[in-house]
Amino acid sequence: MLSLKFFSPIFIALCIPFLASSQVSLRLSQPSRDQNNVTTAKQFIAGRTCMGCTVTINSDSVHVYSTGTFATKYELATGRNSFSITTTAPNGETYTKNVVFYYNPPPAPVATNIFRIDYIDISPSGNLELMEGDTLRIKMKGYPGETASWFNDSPLREMPASQTGGVPGYYTGTYIIQPGDSLLNGKIMVRLRKRNGETAVLASPNHYHVMHNELPFTGRTIDNMTYLTSSPHGDRLGPDKIGYLDKDVLLHIVGRQDDYYKVRLSSKQTAFIPEPLIDTEIPQEQLSVSIADDPKIWGDDKYDYVSVALSDKLPYTSTQLVSSKKIIVDIHGAYAEKGLSTLLQNTKEITSVAWGQPSHDVCRMVISLQHAPWGYQVYYENNRITVKVKRVPANLSLKNLVIGLDPGHGGGNPGATGLTGTVEKQMTLVIALQLKNLLEREGATVIMSRTTEKFVANEDRLSFFRRANPDLLLSIHFNSSVNPVDVYGTATYYKQPFCEPLNAAIHDRLLQTGLNDFGNNDNFNFILNNPTEFPDALIETLFLSNPGDEEKILQPAFQQFIVTKIVEGVKDYLKEAAVSR
């Protein structure tokens, strides 16, 4: 059993806000105002009352948790919806708060009834720098039945009403940038013409420019924290990352979208990179396909390696095939000659290396392993690209491993907040410190991104763990949803395929706590899910936004239960790895 003596001061500090007197009180988290204009019918009333108090909403009893919190949902009728929330203390004292929702569903689209252009939507979106051969697509809504055009008077086609929900007046088109296009004025003008010659004009909201470079426009990555993305746009976690690159990798810039450069990795693949992460103040010269030669495959006392010589530091991408025990690295802009050596020298994890050419300018390494991948790093030494392959630990017990722990959020980044006022940044530290205690009792060495209540940037956390290179990384977080009623439970998240078994093992154990199953989720774009150096797990322990989940995690015994199950999940992962040796 874990001692709670060390953690009780933190826990008491968390609980003081709701361990108050039973005097009547009521605080709503949803809605945040007394008068609310909304456009969706499903709405929530959630908040906190005094300990031991009861709550009724429009005379209907509402379940109040032991923490004093409650949450319920309603389907609103169109117009005014009034709710009277009354809380009653054990001594009979009452307090009532009234809230009103004005529900007005958004109007259905209708045809434009006057001669005009309502709006235009051009993709790719944003302010763009384009090159010959790039394609622009447009959708415009305006007065139906007329003649529409845009770039260089290229016609737009009005879509049949059967494809637009019965609403006429939607026009679409595409345009491929030609050698003579300039876009010097920076705007694209869209025109709608009547038969009598009357014209409506609307300018694009963004600016456009066509790049005409006699030499390829190139840049180099500024450090080994530079990453590529599949798009300049993304969700709250940012654009989806393709992978990290080493310092001074040469990239061919073929466009720009807002604050991201578009780069051509090879003839069939492009990517994006944030402008600050690439140095364009370098000598510009013609690009050539590099011939990969002088391959070497060897092992030392800790790792196995594969390296090959190139004429420059070229971009690369990688993935893993877990079931077939392979790592695949594509070097973009490189050509592999036939007959490259596959001779192994003192390797313990690598069983073979095959060289491939999936396209004329992509050299592929297929690295076969004794076991499912445990981690690897790709980097350059001069112009030699090297893949350093991590071996499965010789002794798969916790007392022989280094475990990285990352308590999410901290300082000015509080994370989610529960209905009691519990803050994610505090709870992640409480759980992580208990987890550290138990792992160390099992003999593991634990390194943490933070051990106190302070802010640590996610980029610094990633850099720290990539340098430290632990055997495993566990990142502790709590989930949150705008729906405090229906969304709850425990979840794990990963991005790299070889991390799935670790996440699955932990998730299976967490379900033994009785928490709802919110899934073991793949392809997640959290920054600490992106490295390939070690298996990692993002553990979204439960939903702080759900009063039932929050009630559980505020109980010291349940915190200990969660921590124990995480450790058991790690042990299950290690046992499975040992079986497959």
Side-chain angles (χ1 to χ4, degrees):
M1 296 288 288
L2 283 176
S3 170
L4 296 176
K5 182 177 180 181
F6 176 76
F7 306 106
S8 58
I10 301 176
F11 179 71
I12 290 172
L14 289 170
C15 297
I16 282 175
F18 68 85
L19 293 179
S21 70
S22 59
Q23 291 182 345
V24 68
S25 63
L26 179 65
R27 179 179 64 83
L28 292 184
S29 297
Q30 291 190 58
S32 59
R33 295 177 296 184
D34 295 343
Q35 307 284 325
N36 304 273
N37 293 307
V38 297
T39 57
T40 55
K42 184 166 69 174
Q43 296 295 324
F44 304 95
I45 296 178
R48 189 180 102 198
T49 186
C50 41
M51 301 294 293
C53 293
T54 60
V55 172
T56 60
I57 300 179
N58 289 354
S59 300
D60 294 327
S61 295
V62 174
H63 176 71
V64 178
Y65 291 84
S66 64
T67 54
T69 60
F70 61 92
T72 187
K73 65 179 176 179
Y74 293 92
E75 289 290 330
L76 304 182
T78 301
R80 190 176 190 271
N81 296 258
S82 299
F83 296 91
S84 180
I85 304 115
T86 299
T87 180
T88 304
N91 62 8
E93 183 182 2
T94 64
Y95 175 80
T96 298
K97 184 177 182 62
N98 296 304
V99 298
V100 177
F101 292 95
Y102 296 94
Y103 169 46
N104 295 297
V110 296
T112 306
N113 57 11
I114 61 175
F115 184 67
R116 70 180 183 194
I117 299 173
D118 289 343
Y119 66 83
I120 57 178
D121 182 10
I122 298 175
S123 62
S125 61
N127 298 308
L128 305 182
E129 292 191 23
L130 304 161
M131 292 191 70
E132 176 187 343
D134 285 344
T135 300
L136 293 174
R137 293 176 173 83
I138 186 172
K139 184 176 183 180
M140 179 265 278
K141 184 175 185 294
Y143 192 75
E146 305 298 347
T147 301
S149 63
W150 67 318
F151 203 103
N152 288 349
D153 283 331
S154 298
L156 303 180
R157 178 183 67 90
E158 185 174 4
M159 299 174 68
S162 60
Q163 298 178 10
T164 61
V167 180
Y170 288 95
Y171 300 79
T172 63
T174 61
Y175 184 81
I176 299 175
I177 300 298
Q178 302 299 310
D181 293 332
S182 66
L183 282 171
L184 293 178
N185 62 1
K187 293 278 189 175
I188 294 177
M189 309 305 293
V190 181
R191 292 175 173 81
L192 192 64
R193 294 185 181 88
K194 280 188 172 181
R195 292 175 180 81
N196 63 7
E198 184 180 355
T199 302
V201 180
L202 186 63
S204 63
N206 296 108
H207 289 79
Y208 303 82
H209 175 68
V210 177
M211 300 167 58
H212 295 289
N213 298 321
E214 293 184 3
L215 291 174
F217 182 28
T218 60
R220 291 189 182 272
T221 55
I222 62 169
D223 58 31
N224 69 351
M225 292 290 288
T226 300
Y227 56 85
L228 297 173
T229 68
S230 59
S231 164
H233 306 294
D235 56 18
R236 63 183 178 86
L237 297 175
D240 182 45
K241 294 180 178 64
I242 294 174
Y244 285 83
L245 297 176
D246 203 4
K247 184 180 180 180
D248 290 331
V249 170
L250 181 67
L251 294 173
H252 180 196
I253 300 169
V254 295
R256 182 169 177 163
Q257 203 164 338
D258 290 331
D259 297 328
Y260 282 73
Y261 282 119
K262 182 180 180 181
V263 296
R264 178 176 291 132
L265 302 181
S266 50
S267 57
K268 295 182 179 180
Q269 186 171 355
T270 59
F272 292 85
I273 182 172
E275 178 188 2
L277 300 185
I278 185 168
D279 177 14
T280 58
E281 299 298 321
I282 64 171
Q284 302 293 316
E285 56 185 311
Q286 290 291 345
L287 295 170
S288 59
V289 174
S290 176
I291 298 176
D293 60 9
D294 190 27
K296 296 180 180 178
I297 309 162
W298 77 101
D300 60 20
D301 58 340
K302 290 185 178 181
Y303 302 96
D304 286 357
Y305 304 83
V306 181
S307 80
V308 67
L310 304 168
S311 62
D312 209 325
K313 295 179 179 178
L314 302 178
Y316 50 85
T317 53
S318 71
T319 190
Q320 316 94 43
L321 301 178
V322 178
S323 60
S324 55
K325 304 175 184 177
K326 290 179 172 61
I327 297 169
I328 298 176
V329 179
D330 285 341
I331 309 167
H332 299 271
Y335 174 81
E337 290 188 327
K338 293 183 179 180
L340 287 178
S341 173
T342 57
L343 177 65
L344 307 181
Q345 294 182 319
N346 302 319
T347 60
K348 295 181 180 179
E349 183 61 39
I350 296 175
T351 60
S352 67
V353 176
W355 304 95
Q357 198 76 35
S359 65
H360 74 276
D361 57 353
V362 175
C363 171
R364 172 168 291 177
M365 299 182 193
V366 180
I367 305 171
S368 297
L369 308 175
Q370 291 274 8
H371 313 95
W374 195 276
Y376 59 96
Q377 179 187 6
V378 187
Y379 59 92
Y380 277 96
E381 291 180 335
N382 297 317
N383 289 344
R384 288 193 73 91
I385 188 170
T386 300
V387 184
K388 181 169 73 173
V389 177
K390 205 169 197 176
R391 295 171 183 158
V392 177
N395 191 331
L396 287 164
S397 64
L398 280 172
K399 67 180 180 180
N400 296 288
L401 300 184
V402 177
I403 309 296
L405 283 185
D406 173 54
H409 304 278
N413 181 8
T417 301
L419 292 176
T420 67
T422 305
V423 183
E424 182 179 5
K425 67 176 182 178
Q426 296 171 328
M427 286 306 305
T428 58
L429 188 57
V430 168
I431 297 300
L433 288 173
Q434 294 187 51
L435 188 54
K436 176 178 184 290
N437 185 303
L438 183 53
L439 288 169
E440 289 178 340
R441 287 166 63 94
E442 294 279 350
T445 300
V446 177
I447 57 175
M448 297 183 67
S449 56
R450 68 181 181 101
T451 57
T452 59
E453 178 19 43
K454 67 176 182 178
F455 173 78
V456 182
N458 281 337
E459 292 77 10
D460 293 336
R461 298 172 194 243
L462 175 62
S463 181
F464 166 70
F465 286 120
R466 290 182 73 192
R467 290 195 307 271
N469 198 15
D471 294 298
L472 301 171
L473 171 63
L474 308 177
S475 188
I476 307 300
H477 281 251
F478 287 85
N479 241 328
S480 183
S481 171
V482 295
N483 183 339
V485 177
D486 305 307
V487 181
Y488 52 95
T490 189
T492 48
Y493 297 82
Y494 65 95
K495 185 177 181 71
Q496 303 295 342
F498 80 103
C499 298
E500 191 277 338
L502 172 62
N503 283 261
I506 294 172
H507 184 64
D508 287 346
R509 285 291 185 173
L510 285 172
L511 291 178
Q512 295 177 2
T513 64
L515 290 167
N516 184 55
D517 185 358
F518 205 71
N520 178 30
N521 304 278
D522 63 356
N523 200 31
F524 197 63
N525 195 37
F526 178 56
I527 188 169
L528 291 182
N529 286 142
N530 281 285
T532 62
E533 283 88 342
F534 37 76
D536 63 75
L538 169 59
I539 305 167
E540 292 279 3
T541 315
L542 48 73
F543 277 81
L544 274 186
S545 54
N546 178 268
D549 278 8
E550 185 189 26
E551 179 186 52
K552 291 183 176 73
I553 202 61
L554 290 174
Q555 300 168 10
F558 194 80
Q559 295 174 19
Q560 183 177 341
F561 197 15
I562 286 279
V563 167
T564 300
K565 291 303 175 183
I566 293 173
V567 173
E568 288 178 358
V570 173
K571 287 182 175 180
D572 290 344
Y573 169 70
L574 297 176
K575 289 177 183 176
E576 184 61 31
V579 168
S580 63
R581 292 188 71 96

